[in-house]
Amino acid sequence: MTVRNNKVMMMSNRVSSAFAISALAMSMVAVSSSAYAEQRINNVSVIQTAPAVTQMRLGFSGAPVLPAAYQLDNPSRLVLDFEQVQNGLASRFKEYNIGMVNEVTTLNSDNTTRLIVGLKKTGNYTTAIDGNELLLTITDPKRPVISPVVTKVITNDPVQDVLNGNAAITTTAVVTPIVESSSVAVAPIRTTVTKTQVPADTMVVRVNPLLSPQLASAQVSKQYSYDGLSAVNFSAGNDGGGNVSISLANEAIPVDVQRQGNKLVVRLTGSTVPRNLLRRLNVNSGLVDSIDTKNQSQNGVITINMKEDFEYQAYQSGNQLNIGIRRPELLREPTLEEKVYTGAALSMEFQDVEIRSVLDILAQFTEMNIVASDSVAGNITLRLINVPWDQALDIILKSKNLGKRENGNVILVAPSTELAEQEASELAAQQAVESYAPLRTEYIRLSYAKAADVLTLISQGSGGASGGSTTGTANTNPTDSNSLLSNRGTVTVDERTNTLIVKDVAASIENIHKLIGKIDIPVRQVMIEARIVSASDSFSKELGVRWGILFDGKPDDNRLTSSGLNVDLGISNPASVAFGILKVSDVMLDLELLAMQADNRGEVISTPKILTSDKQTAKISSGTQIPYQEASASGATTTSFKEAALSLEATPNITPDGKIGLQLLITNGTPTIINNQVAIAEDSISTNVIVEDGQTIVLGGVFKNRTNNGVDKVPFLGDLPYIGRAFRKDVRSNTKEELLIFITPKLINDGISRLD
């Protein structure tokens, strides 16, 4: 838990933060950021003005935006982050080799452009603004350091100036590196700005960045992406399928291929689709209808839309991802209406002719070998004109309940029932042979999945599963289709080494390997960060009076109050002024004025953060156990504990389209004293939301505003004009409290491609 004393380490440092109502704060941030929404970097040039001085000129479409910057070593690089600036450069990488600058690499996200300047050595640098150009001067550290150029930035909007904290101060931009995880020295950019006088009737709300979802998202979950796609091509196949070829900018880009109904979704993790490839490609060829490309958060998404059911195979070779699409194989013979015939056309006309003679004529016409069973008999009458010969053969066989089996250029014709009986007997013979097939023993050690869970999938419903490490039971149900084991197979689990011990025939073991290859994969992880921001602003003002009569410098013995004064309408902890007036002989009127004014502002930020796997509940807690006495029915007392803690309990669910569903329970308990007893002041929220990867949203908030006005006075005398002030005490107080809860989930890029 962090207590912030109204200091925000950003470009508006050292300025006290006023209390912000959340809705107004967000709207003011939107107004302040709109000024740079259309900014764009159009060109970058590098010149060497002196042997030890190199100057970069960055051309903007409007007024230049000052960057946040830091330096990296090994190799030396200067990183410049331009918030709310678009990238208008034609090339992502350009080599210069001029002066101290080797090359410049450009990365961009939705609203941030990052320039990475490769340096020959670490140097000193300063910035200046010249019209629509930002000048970056880099000097050799071994030469005398040039004083930084001071640039005055003035806007015409007084509210914008106050929101941006434009005062005559020097600030240091502190930037957390995103790409590099090593600790680096932060290079300051010093800028002097001139404050514009704000009209007296202008209402100004200073925005704490932590209370703004837009700024919180930029600071907490900032991700820099680059264009990871070079081209998308489609080539049609002969069977109605085709091949989708995706050219990646880098072969190390993780690729996730998922089937979603009649769609095939390819997600590029951590890289985006370039602007010129964001389109729909209307293919309309065979199975493939169209191909859509878009960007979702920081990931590029390619959606292949199909017209009907399909099968696919994806593989990657270098930076080339190929996805082959084909029609699914039917588990039955196609009907006459579903078949596609390609034989040569013929015309036949017979009347009451033996079926065997017709088959002989077809064999001579097609030069195929047709073997008819002894059971083939009967006559047929037909008339076919310009019909493919293979279709004619199927029609003749169908009319006589005959079937065929092809083996090379030989066609066997027999009654359908006879063929079915023959195949059944062959299958029974094959199973009899398999029952005597040798058994093999495989030791399959799992990497990510639990062996006990995989055991259930392998032998579910078969009775052939066993836990432990020594025993196993055979699958005694040979007709069980839910098991991957044969009727003689067994599987055993060694929990200590997370190993499956499978004993079965080779075909069953191969099927088990295929299953494990599909499910024994790493589960994606989610980093969840919550921010609980509690801000308070209180003001109180009290004014009282005490007075009495002194005789010879002493109070009257018949005084009315314990303080020795006749009227006591004082306050606690006052700042007082006492003086005597109307001194006549030994009698003096003693008057004491008392006043107190207090103005308190505070902000408490709690930031629990936790990492967990998909669909796994995780909890983090930090706090205090408060003891209390608990009495039982027998009269005995025991000491129990109640937790006052900051806790975050989350269960993420990663959806197929890359979003994150979160079931959250966030609690922030703080011990407090009420009536001399320890109590717990608790802020909590329980909700279920769906969030984009890296998006920051406000889960909820509570705003409280308490206003008290009190008057203590002497009846009648306190209501008199002017002199009634001496018989009255006024107390005024105004307290504002606001609670906001933010959540930011972020998918962890594990760098693993998932093609199946």
Side-chain angles (χ1 to χ4, degrees), residues 66 150-154 164-169 191-195:
L66 294 177
V150 177
T151 304
K152 295 184 180 300
V153 180
I154 304 174
N164 292 336
N166 287 352
I169 58 174
T191 305
T192 302
V193 294
T194 303
K195 182 176 181 181

Side-chain angles (χ1 to χ4, degrees), residues 564-586:
L565 299 174
N566 299 93
V567 177
D568 187 358
L569 294 173
I571 60 177
S572 58
N573 301 322
S576 61
V577 177
F579 51 87
I581 58 175
L582 297 177
K583 182 176 182 182
V584 179
S585 183
D586 294 332

Side-chain angles (χ1 to χ4, degrees), residues 530-534 604-606 608 646 666-668 739-742:
R531 290 205 170 200
I532 305 173
V533 182
S534 178
V604 179
I605 304 174
S606 307
L646 170 65
I666 304 174
T667 303
N668 186 19
L739 172 69
L740 290 175
I741 301 178
F742 302 88

Side-chain angles (χ1 to χ4, degrees), residues 41-58:
I41 299 178
N42 294 327
N43 56 77
V44 176
S45 61
V46 179
I47 59 174
Q48 188 172 6
T49 59
V53 179
T54 305
Q55 189 177 78
M56 287 184 60
R57 304 181 72 92
L58 280 68

Side-chain angles (χ1 to χ4, degrees), residues 451-452 455 466-470 492-501:
L455 170 66
S466 66
S469 59
T470 57
T492 308
V493 171
D494 182 14
E495 297 179 355
R496 185 179 64 87
T497 60
N498 200 38
T499 300
L500 288 174
I501 305 173

Side-chain angles (χ1 to χ4, degrees), residues 83 157 203 236 259 275 297 304 521 630 643 756:
E83 295 287 345
D157 186 354
M203 178 180 180
R259 176 171 180 170
R275 192 172 307 169
S297 184
I304 306 173
I521 58 176
E630 189 175 31
E643 185 179 40
D756 295 331

Side-chain angles (χ1 to χ4, degrees), residues 331-386:
L331 300 180
R332 57 172 176 80
E333 286 292 330
T335 63
L336 295 181
E337 292 78 9
E338 295 174 341
K339 281 187 177 181
V340 178
Y341 297 99
T342 58
L346 57 78
S347 298
M348 302 176 64
E349 186 173 359
F350 299 105
Q351 189 170 14
D352 198 19
V353 178
E354 288 188 359
I355 186 67
R356 302 178 72 91
S357 300
V358 175
L359 295 177
D360 182 60
I361 294 173
L362 283 175
Q364 294 178 15
F365 177 81
T366 61
E367 296 183 356
M368 292 287 291
N369 301 312
I370 298 179
V371 179
S373 171
D374 294 339
S375 304
V376 177
N379 296 340
I380 187 172
T381 299
L382 58 88
R383 182 177 184 272
L384 301 174
I385 306 298
N386 290 329

Side-chain angles (χ1 to χ4, degrees), residues 229-455:
L229 184 64
S230 300
V232 178
N233 298 307
F234 174 79
S235 58
N238 296 327
D239 58 347
N243 183 76
V244 179
S245 178
I246 300 174
S247 299
L248 305 175
N250 190 336
E251 63 180 13
I253 296 177
V255 179
D256 187 5
V257 181
Q258 295 181 0
R259 176 171 180 170
Q260 300 177 8
N262 280 346
K263 294 181 180 180
L264 196 60
V265 180
V266 182
R267 184 169 283 104
L268 310 180
T269 306
S271 60
T272 56
V273 178
R275 192 172 307 169
N276 61 312
L277 293 180
L278 294 174
R279 63 175 185 265
R280 162 167 282 199
L281 179 62
N282 291 315
V283 176
N284 199 20
S285 173
L287 293 174
V288 182
D289 181 33
S290 61
I291 300 176
D292 297 331
T293 55
K294 65 178 181 179
N295 288 322
Q296 185 179 53
S297 184
Q298 304 297 327
N299 303 322
V301 179
I302 304 171
T303 304
I304 306 173
N305 302 300
M306 306 296 180
K307 297 179 181 178
E308 53 186 88
D309 192 19
F310 68 97
E311 292 182 354
Y312 78 95
Q313 183 179 11
Y315 65 93
Q316 183 175 349
S317 177
N319 67 336
Q320 199 74 19
L321 175 64
N322 295 290
I323 303 176
I325 301 171
R326 64 181 183 274
R327 294 186 183 275
E329 296 181 0
L330 295 177
L331 300 180
R332 57 172 176 80
E333 286 292 330
T335 63
L336 295 181
E337 292 78 9
E338 295 174 341
K339 281 187 177 181
V340 178
Y341 297 99
T342 58
L346 57 78
S347 298
M348 302 176 64
E349 186 173 359
F350 299 105
Q351 189 170 14
D352 198 19
V353 178
E354 288 188 359
I355 186 67
R356 302 178 72 91
S357 300
V358 175
L359 295 177
D360 182 60
I361 294 173
L362 283 175
Q364 294 178 15
F365 177 81
T366 61
E367 296 183 356
M368 292 287 291
N369 301 312
I370 298 179
V371 179
S373 171
D374 294 339
S375 304
V376 177
N379 296 340
I380 187 172
T381 299
L382 58 88
R383 182 177 184 272
L384 301 174
I385 306 298
N386 290 329
V387 177
W389 72 264
D390 47 357
Q391 183 179 7
L393 177 60
D394 285 345
I395 292 174
I396 294 171
L397 297 180
K398 186 72 174 179
S399 64
K400 292 296 183 180
N401 290 326
L402 300 176
K404 67 176 182 178
R405 296 294 183 267
E406 296 185 20
N407 186 0
N409 63 343
V410 177
I411 300 176
L412 173 64
V413 177
S416 300
T417 55
E418 182 178 330
L419 290 175
E421 292 175 358
Q422 183 180 356
E423 291 176 350
S425 61
E426 290 176 356
L427 180 60
Q430 183 180 358
Q431 291 178 347
V433 172
E434 289 181 354
S435 64
Y436 297 100
L439 297 178
R440 290 172 45 198
T441 301
E442 286 261 358
Y443 300 88
I444 306 174
R445 188 167 183 177
L446 304 180
S447 300
Y448 305 101
K450 292 183 179 180
D453 296 338
V454 178
L455 170 66

